[in-house]
Amino acid sequence: MVVFDKPHALADIPLHYCPGCTHGIVHRLVAEAIDELGIEGRTIGIAPVGCSVMAYDYFNCDMIEAAHGRAPAVATGVKRADPDRHIVFTYQGDGDLASIGMAETVHAAARNENITVIFINNAIYGMTGGQMAPTSLPGQVTQTSPYGRDTNHCGFPIRVCEMLSQVEGAGYLERVAVNNVKNVKNAKKAILKAFKNQVEGKGFSLVEVISSCPTNWGLTPKKALEWIDEKMIPYYPLGVYKDRAADEEAAK
Amino acid sequence: MANKVLMKGNEAIAEAAIIAGCRHYFGYPITPQTEIAAYMAKKMPKIGGTFLQAESEIAAINMVYGVASTGHRVMTSSSSPGISLKSEGLSYLAGADMPAFVVNVQRGGPGLGGIQPSQADYFQSTRGGGHGDYHMIVLAPASVEEMAALTVKGFELADEYRMTSMILADGTIGQMMEPVDLDGLKVNPAPEKPWATVGTDCKRFHNITNSLSLVPTELEQQNFDRYKKYDVIKEKEVMYEEYMMDDAEICIVAFGIASRVSKNAINEARKKGIKVGLIRPITLWPFPEKVLHDTVGKCHTYISVEMSMGQMIEDVKLSTECRGKYVLCNRAGGMIPSPEQVLAAIEEANKGGAK
């Protein structure tokens, strides 16, 4: 009896991510959701620019590599090409989604584009070697904020779920984390829901996943997971920020 | 009998695109090409197509990239400043070998420039526009009829060679009205696109639309292969018109609306017995190098009539190996050369003669 297996939607090849990085967990959760909904054959994933740039090799569904920040626009094109068939997800980091691609993010949400966005927030640019991200915490030391993020100089980190919750078009917004078993289980539920929403035509769904970057945080993998509890979650509280379908149901 | 209708050049592009099977249009408002978007906004919802006003030109070209990846015929249109914004996407389309159709109804620049007609995006379009080694097929219509015909041709070429084709028009041709025979447009069906990312149906290995290649030898090979394809295009797809070139000693080179002004000037000059003709590139890339090269020894002077500070003249010199005299007859910033200005340049060149 098989008790634990690789999801079919996840390619059986080694991932390039650093030891202790949580991308692998989130990739698996996405693949499990695709498997459970039986949608692999009609799913098209959009990889960003950033650490997950090569995610196109890691999923067995058709994949597209987008320019930096443009994944929601590319996803819009793919979805509209065949809205009844195509299930489209983007997988984006914080620099991609909340800095260079903020316009594409907000407007895809405003249009209630029927797509699924997986947003990895690890408060740093990983691929380029640890620069300050739009979500880097106040005081956080990075390569480009070597004295700690000075909010007088470069402003404050952006809380994406809170911001998008003010956008009428957005359908479902939830922030989760993957730093312990309980949180991973919740993350799985949220990601599954974000895909299910699309299958059911419920519109724009975004799951923000608080993730770790031990390499660029300068912490051991274990310490990095603790840092999520100590520093990240207090600034980025977990929870559902919008669920229009549930709200409408409750209003009935 | 031909069923001619009176249309603006911009509208002719939009209707021809629909005839060519394009059902997906993405754009962002900018003068002087807004009629294309307005036409699509009216028509697309009625024929089951997509019209979407994007949040920016950048988003629009990436929506094009998304649809192109699925193999459907897709287009966007803009004018000069907007094309600069789309250039990132054009480079990605080239790197991923995706077919797309793009229209640039040029206006004066640089910067925000003006809204009057221009041809100053010649360099930008014929050299690629974005970063990296690549070309687009660049088509230069000189009439409303050609706006329609070259639109259909543009979709076909994009599909055949898996690359972007661009109409490089100007505000004049975009805005003016002329009769056009849309019923006469013949469209070749799109080829099979086994590379399209439309879902695997769990029956094949996944397709990937991608322009990333981290192994330099592989990336080099991709560039080599792409340029082999470009060589085929240079061999097979060059289009041009010759006008009174049989005995010409002075050769005018002009495209778009500047070529029509030039024809008027040539007609006047011929009345005065001056042996002058016109080579009008219809494809700006690939440039009609061969036909120009064939004039070496026959023509002593080349007059490049352009609505720019002199961009195409470099290709004229290259094609003729700098073996003639070269004159730039131009206006810029949204101004159009007059037939009198071109005639004066012809007469001046005729005085000089072959030396």
Side-chain angles (χ1 to χ4, degrees):
Chain A
M1 192 181 82
V2 177
V3 290
F4 187 82
D5 206 359
K6 205 161 196 140
H8 188 270
L10 197 62
D12 193 13
I13 55 171
L15 310 186
H16 72 278
Y17 300 114
C18 301
C21 169
T22 45
H23 267 307
I25 295 171
V26 185
H27 278 26
R28 184 185 168 96
L29 298 183
V30 168
E32 284 180 359
I34 291 171
D35 277 12
E36 284 170 36
L37 294 167
I39 52 173
E40 183 188 321
R42 60 191 184 107
T43 294
I44 298 108
I46 323 280
V49 171
C51 280
S52 50
V53 65
M54 282 177 285
Y56 53 74
D57 280 332
Y58 303 151
F59 294 99
N60 283 329
C61 58
D62 276 354
M63 294 294 293
I64 298 173
E65 214 300 297
H68 199 18
R70 316 301 176 214
V74 175
T76 298
V78 176
K79 187 69 188 183
R80 301 236 178 184
D82 195 343
D84 295 333
R85 171 181 163 85
H86 293 167
I87 300 295
V88 189
F89 75 94
T90 71
Y91 188 103
Q92 305 173 258
D94 40 54
D96 195 85
L97 181 140
S99 189
I100 195 165
M102 186 59 106
E104 284 78 2
T105 304
V106 171
H107 284 274
R111 289 192 301 268
N112 194 20
E113 211 63 59
N114 190 28
I115 59 172
T116 302
V117 176
I118 306 299
F119 167 37
I120 306 297
N121 179 1
N122 60 6
I124 204 142
Y125 284 79
M127 178 64 106
T128 43
Q131 294 80 28
M132 188 184 75
T135 53
S136 291
L137 296 174
Q140 187 178 336
V141 172
T142 73
Q143 194 184 61
T144 49
S145 56
Y147 310 110
R149 180 175 187 154
D150 176 0
T151 54
N152 289 321
H153 172 64
C154 51
F156 291 83
I158 294 170
R159 295 183 179 99
V160 169
C161 279
E162 287 85 336
M163 185 191 72
L164 289 180
S165 70
Q166 304 304 308
V167 175
E168 188 67 28
Y172 168 62
L173 307 164
E174 181 163 356
R175 184 181 290 127
V176 297
V178 285
N179 61 328
N180 59 46
V181 174
K182 178 172 157 271
N183 283 346
V184 169
K185 282 186 165 174
N186 280 338
K188 168 65 189 297
K189 265 189 235 162
I191 288 170
L192 182 63
K193 183 169 178 173
F195 275 93
K196 196 155 173 274
N197 282 347
Q198 186 180 165
V199 172
E200 293 170 355
K202 288 179 179 165
F204 185 87
S205 297
L206 178 146
V207 179
E208 176 175 346
V209 185
I210 303 296
S211 303
S212 71
C213 181
T215 299
N216 289 300
W217 290 355
L219 299 173
T220 63
K222 185 166 177 290
K223 284 265 181 231
L225 296 179
E226 289 164 11
W227 199 79
I228 288 177
D229 273 330
E230 291 160 13
K231 304 282 185 181
M232 291 281 284
I233 291 175
Y235 194 90
Y236 297 110
L238 307 184
V240 177
Y241 285 84
K242 193 168 179 191
D243 188 344
R244 186 175 42 229
D247 293 346
E248 284 169 3
E249 195 59 36
K252 273 180 195 172
Chain B
M1 205 182 100
N3 182 20
K4 293 212 169 191
V5 288
L6 199 61
M7 282 184 118
K8 275 191 173 189
N10 286 336
E11 293 167 347
I13 285 179
E15 185 57 35
I18 291 168
I19 290 169
C22 173
R23 291 295 178 274
H24 302 279
Y25 173 95
F26 303 93
Y28 185 86
I30 185 168
T31 307
Q33 59 79 56
T34 313
E35 292 85 357
I36 302 176
Y39 198 94
M40 292 303 198
K42 261 192 182 171
K43 276 277 177 104
M44 282 300 193
K46 303 206 165 161
I47 55 172
T50 302
F51 164 84
L52 191 62
Q53 182 169 319
E55 59 270 29
S56 67
E57 284 92 346
I58 297 170
I61 194 71
N62 280 285
M63 291 170 186
V64 166
Y65 180 87
V67 174
S69 304
T70 68
H72 291 81
R73 285 188 166 166
V74 58
M75 73 174 286
T76 184
S77 63
S78 191
S79 180
S80 309
I83 297 293
S84 292
L85 284 168
K86 289 184 197 292
S87 295
E88 174 195 64
L90 293 174
S91 175
Y92 279 73
L93 284 162
D97 299 307
M98 286 296 123
F101 178 69
V102 177
V103 177
N104 180 4
V105 184
Q106 298 164 95
R107 54 190 255 182
L112 199 48
I115 58 168
Q116 299 300 322
S118 168
Q119 297 180 329
D121 301 345
Y122 180 90
F123 281 154
Q124 186 193 41
S125 54
T126 60
R127 269 58 178 172
H131 60 282
D133 280 315
Y134 76 95
H135 280 290
M136 301 180 291
I137 295 171
V138 184
L139 305 161
S143 65
V144 174
E145 188 94 59
E146 277 191 356
M147 288 285 245
L150 292 177
T151 292
V152 172
K153 184 82 182 165
F155 278 103
E156 291 173 349
L157 289 170
D159 271 345
E160 185 174 350
Y161 294 104
R162 282 186 65 178
M163 62 190 287
T164 298
S165 66
M166 174 183 272
I167 291 254
L168 191 70
D170 60 68
T172 320
I173 305 169
Q175 296 294 328
M176 72 187 188
M177 293 183 91
E178 282 184 326
V180 52
D181 172 20
L182 293 165
D183 294 345
L185 292 174
K186 296 278 172 288
V187 182
N188 293 321
E192 292 287 307
K193 297 174 178 176
W195 46 263
T197 49
V198 290
T200 62
D201 283 323
C202 297
K203 285 175 184 162
R204 57 160 169 79
F205 192 69
H206 67 169
N207 285 339
I208 303 172
T209 298
N210 185 24
S211 65
L212 179 71
S213 186
L214 291 173
V215 181
T217 48
E218 289 173 12
L219 183 56
E220 181 187 46
Q221 192 56 49
Q222 286 173 21
N223 276 282
F224 286 162
D225 292 345
R226 205 166 286 125
Y227 271 68
K228 267 184 214 147
K229 175 172 80 179
Y230 293 163
D231 284 342
V232 174
I233 296 167
K234 282 182 175 181
E235 193 56 41
K236 284 176 60 183
E237 306 297 350
V238 171
M239 289 188 279
Y240 58 88
E241 179 198 358
E242 286 183 289
Y243 182 70
M244 295 193 179
M245 279 303 293
D246 283 349
D247 61 343
E249 294 169 359
I250 299 168
C251 175
I252 290 183
V253 188
F255 67 95
I257 196 67
S259 70
R260 292 174 67 160
V261 174
S262 299
K263 278 185 184 175
N264 286 344
I266 289 168
N267 292 343
E268 290 306 308
R270 283 277 172 178
K271 284 181 200 161
K272 298 180 180 189
I274 303 174
K275 290 180 176 171
V276 56
L278 168 77
I279 292 177
R280 172 171 77 92
I282 298 172
T283 50
L284 298 179
W285 194 92
F287 195 70
E289 293 167 2
K290 219 174 270 175
V291 66
L292 265 158
H293 190 263
D294 288 346
T295 65
V296 171
K298 297 177 197 158
C299 296
H300 56 75
T301 304
Y302 297 87
I303 304 174
S304 194
V305 181
E306 301 185 53
M307 286 145 66
S308 74
M309 289 310 293
Q311 300 189 13
M312 182 180 64
I313 193 169
E314 294 192 2
D315 284 335
V316 176
K317 286 180 183 174
L318 286 169
S319 301
T320 54
E321 297 173 349
C322 294
R323 285 158 70 184
K325 285 191 288 189
Y326 299 88
V327 176
L328 174 65
C329 177
N330 69 320
R331 296 297 298 271
M335 297 301 292
I336 304 173
S338 66
E340 292 74 24
Q341 183 191 352
V342 180
L343 181 61
I346 295 169
E347 287 177 327
E348 189 63 29
N350 192 47
K351 265 189 244 163
K355 269 177 198 157

